[in-house]
Amino acid sequence: DGRKPATQALGQFEQFSNALGTLLGKPDLRLDPPLRIIVFKNQQELQAQCGGPASSAGLRTGRDRLMACTTAEGQLPAGLLKELTHTLLENNFPAMSGEIENGLRTFFSTVQSNGVHVTWGAPPPASERTREWALLHLIITQPDYSAKAKIFLHNLAAGMEKSAASRNAFAEDGPKFEAEVDRYYAAGVFNTAVAPSRALNPDRDFSTSALTSDEGELMHADLLTPASEALYLSLLKSGKHIAEDNEGLAVLAMRAGDTSKAASYIGAAREAGTKNFVALTAYASLDKDSAEATDILKEALTIDPKYALAHWVFGEKVREADRRMAEWKQAVALAPRNSEWAAKYAQLCLDEKQYAEAGRAWMAAAQAAPDAATREHYLSLRSQIESQRLDAEEAQRREDAAVKANEIEELKTKARKDLAALEARANNRPLSADPVRPTVDWYDTDSEAKLTGMLVRVNCTGKQLRLEVKDDHGKTEAILISDPTQLVVQGGDGKLSCGAQKPVRVTVAYRKPKDAKGGVIGEATGIEFNP
């Protein structure tokens, strides 16, 4: 019905989202998957094409995103605003008590906007005006409290008791604050107030285009009504929106429990270049082939790295504990309301002896717990972590000690066997049976000799030295020094240099070999330089 109704609906959503986020200290709220709002001309068309009046006031999961139906007439429906409040809280904030969150849903169901003018606080039907709704109406709309309402709600989201939260935010003790809430609720005077607004220019901030007939059919099909399958097949037959048609047919097949048909459609969507991380993740969760499932999940996370469900399913499909921990950690961080995920992640951390991380995960599970009993259970499990850590360390010490004792015992056993084997050989071969072989010295111990003469040359070959000494009769003799470090040198400077020598008189003590070879008369044991 033209551009104006579309921008009006989008503007209302933006102002509503901004008001909720500003109140809770986070103006830019996110939805994953994102939201598409289809605006019909009137209620009759909405009921005819959106699946009936029961769905007209709520959210639904479409082919690739959340979807909502509304009309160009008036404000967004109260039922839709309630569901949007619930979904935005789940996607962006830690859990608060059920009564407070119910009150927030009711309070924001009556937010109204007209361009940049936004009001909140209009009372809902009398049956929905609970005491907790009145508490929120008091702190959000009344000037004495509104400036600190953000602090109060933040304290509740952090797990603080209501009495402590009121004292911290409003400097009022619990009984005094509760009495003021009772007085306000009983008075029954609930006026509207100006809400935070975002400066929006429809011509600048919203990009719109006229849909072609096949784009309109695809959007209607994406609502996943009973008519959707025929619409997808018709578009597929005409060759329009191949990836999207196969995605939608795959989602419908999965909802009908036909996994084999879903596999065929998902395969065709992937070949056509699908960007639908929602459908890819949904199929991967059903795929029994872990390798194929992880490949599909990698595609999904490449498209949207912050899709919590894809991280969680990825962790379920991998076998390695460290990879599972990494994926589940991201999933828990991206979905702070999912207490079941946080509890499973905490148990995995305990199994892997990551006690500090397990403690943080149990606390996250407690904050997201749906009721007080579950919250206390998770907190009690967190309190046990220190004793579990100490028990695990003691068990590890005992195991290490046992391993070390076994290693020592094995060494002792081996040493005993070796000793027994030596004793057996000695007993089987007594020493008296072996022939005694006398040791033979290379040198005769009684063949010590000395040579006095002039040292004329020292030949160096490797580590050995060879002295050439001319005796008093003019004969030159060669004497070997096999280890210069063992030679006793007296007189002179105590050193021998290689090559020709300045004639100097020396006395060389040496041992004679039994068989002289190579012209060597013996091996020197000492040398004395004579003055």
Side-chain angles (χ1 to χ4, degrees):
D1 193 22
R3 187 173 188 273
K4 185 177 179 180
T7 57
Q8 180 181 350
L10 289 172
Q12 288 178 19
F13 172 76
E14 288 295 331
Q15 297 293 11
F16 152 80
S17 175
N18 176 72
L20 175 62
T22 301
L23 174 65
L24 296 174
K26 189 177 180 181
D28 295 318
L29 304 182
R30 60 183 290 271
L31 281 174
D32 202 3
L35 171 70
R36 173 180 289 148
I37 301 175
I38 302 181
V39 184
F40 292 90
K41 289 183 179 181
N42 51 52
Q43 189 69 23
Q44 289 74 23
E45 284 195 9
L46 183 149
Q47 293 180 11
Q49 300 183 47
C50 196
S55 63
S56 63
L59 293 176
R60 64 174 66 197
T61 301
R63 170 181 56 85
D64 61 342
R65 63 191 66 210
L66 294 172
M67 302 191 71
C69 297
T70 187
T71 67
E73 303 166 351
Q75 299 289 315
L76 294 178
L80 175 58
L81 290 177
K82 278 187 178 181
E83 291 200 32
L84 285 172
T85 302
H86 174 76
T87 304
L88 287 168
L89 288 174
E90 282 203 331
N91 275 257
N92 294 275
F93 302 102
M96 290 176 276
S97 71
E99 294 83 358
I100 289 294
E101 293 207 354
N102 286 334
L104 282 170
R105 286 194 288 270
T106 302
F107 182 85
F108 277 90
S109 70
T110 62
V111 169
Q112 296 188 0
S113 64
N114 183 11
V116 296
H117 302 290
V118 185
T119 60
W120 55 13
S127 61
E128 299 181 21
R129 299 176 199 174
T130 64
R131 184 182 182 279
E132 298 303 321
W133 170 83
L135 180 154
L136 292 167
H137 197 282
L138 168 67
I139 67 172
I140 295 172
T141 66
Q142 299 305 302
D144 291 342
Y145 293 94
S146 59
K148 301 293 183 65
K150 181 190 306 184
I151 300 173
F152 177 77
L153 293 171
H154 176 78
N155 290 338
L156 293 182
M160 191 179 292
E161 293 293 334
K162 193 194 300 183
S163 58
S166 63
R167 184 168 55 252
N168 181 271
F170 310 124
E172 288 188 5
D173 290 332
K176 181 180 178 182
F177 177 70
E178 296 297 337
E180 178 62 19
V181 172
D182 289 337
R183 184 201 63 76
Y184 188 78
Y185 184 38
V189 180
F190 306 113
N191 298 318
T192 61
V194 176
S197 63
R198 177 172 289 171
L200 294 175
N201 184 332
D203 296 327
R204 180 193 64 208
D205 297 322
F206 297 123
S207 175
T208 63
S209 61
L211 297 181
T212 63
S213 60
D214 55 279
E215 289 173 335
E217 287 188 8
L218 177 63
M219 190 172 292
H220 282 99
D222 287 347
L223 289 167
L224 303 184
T225 66
S228 293
E229 183 175 11
L231 288 171
Y232 283 133
L233 290 172
S234 175
L235 289 168
L236 192 60
K237 186 176 180 180
S238 65
K240 304 286 183 61
H241 310 292
I242 303 299
E244 292 83 354
D245 298 334
N246 281 290
E247 294 163 9
L249 290 168
V251 172
L252 291 174
M254 284 186 280
R255 290 188 176 186
D258 194 338
T259 307
S260 61
K261 184 184 288 188
S264 174
Y265 286 130
I266 280 291
R270 292 174 71 191
E271 289 181 6
T274 179
K275 298 297 181 183
N276 189 338
F277 59 90
V278 176
L280 289 172
T281 302
Y283 176 74
S285 67
L286 302 175
D287 195 346
K288 295 182 179 180
D289 185 341
S290 297
E292 181 182 58
T294 54
D295 287 341
I296 292 174
L297 289 164
K298 287 177 182 178
E299 291 179 26
L301 288 170
T302 300
I303 300 166
D304 184 358
K306 293 185 177 182
Y307 190 40
L309 183 58
H311 284 290
W312 184 262
V313 177
F314 201 130
E316 290 181 324
K317 296 296 181 180
V318 296
R319 295 181 179 179
E320 301 85 351
D322 56 340
R323 290 187 64 191
R324 177 170 296 176
M325 285 183 62
E327 294 298 330
W328 282 8
K329 181 176 183 177
Q330 292 191 65
V332 170
L334 291 168
R337 293 295 190 92
N338 197 318
S339 61
E340 183 179 351
W341 284 5
K344 288 184 178 180
Y345 174 57
Q347 188 57 55
L348 176 62
C349 292
L350 283 179
D351 295 341
E352 296 303 311
K353 298 181 172 56
Q354 300 295 320
Y355 298 102
E357 186 66 18
R360 288 188 285 269
W362 282 130
M363 180 57 71
Q367 289 180 337
D371 52 65
T374 306
R375 174 185 172 85
E376 290 304 317
H377 175 62
Y378 289 151
L379 290 176
S380 68
L381 291 174
R382 181 179 182 272
S383 67
Q384 297 171 19
I385 286 179
E386 183 61 18
S387 62
Q388 290 172 328
R389 182 184 67 80
L390 295 174
D391 291 344
E393 289 178 354
E394 179 59 28
Q396 187 63 48
R397 280 194 293 269
R398 289 196 297 268
E399 182 179 346
D400 293 344
V403 170
K404 188 173 183 179
N406 289 336
E407 291 176 352
I408 293 173
E409 188 59 33
E410 288 176 2
L411 292 173
K412 288 180 177 179
T413 301
K414 185 177 183 301
R416 294 188 191 103
K417 289 181 178 179
D418 293 344
L419 180 59
L422 289 172
E423 291 175 347
R425 285 198 299 271
N427 292 333
N428 294 333
R429 297 172 59 192
L431 294 177
S432 59
D434 293 333
V436 178
R437 299 178 181 178
T439 56
V440 178
D441 293 331
W442 189 73
Y443 293 103
D444 288 338
T445 56
D446 297 330
S447 60
E448 297 282 346
K450 290 184 179 182
L451 173 64
T452 300
M454 303 298 292
L455 177 63
V456 295
R457 188 176 184 84
V458 178
N459 294 319
C460 301
T461 56
K463 294 183 179 181
Q464 294 183 340
L465 304 179
R466 180 171 170 155
L467 307 179
E468 294 184 4
V469 180
K470 184 183 290 186
D471 63 14
D472 293 337
H473 302 290
K475 183 179 179 180
T476 301
E477 301 286 1
I479 302 175
L480 180 68
I481 302 176
S482 60
D483 186 359
T485 63
Q486 301 299 316
L487 183 69
V488 178
V489 181
Q490 296 179 337
D493 59 3
K495 296 181 180 180
L496 295 173
S497 58
C498 301
Q501 306 290 310
K502 182 178 179 180
V504 59
R505 192 169 181 79
V506 296
T507 298
V508 182
Y510 63 95
R511 292 194 183 104
K512 294 180 180 181
K514 290 184 177 181
D515 299 314
K517 296 179 181 180
V520 177
I521 64 173
E523 180 169 356
T525 59
I527 182 171
E528 180 181 0
F529 291 87
N530 300 319

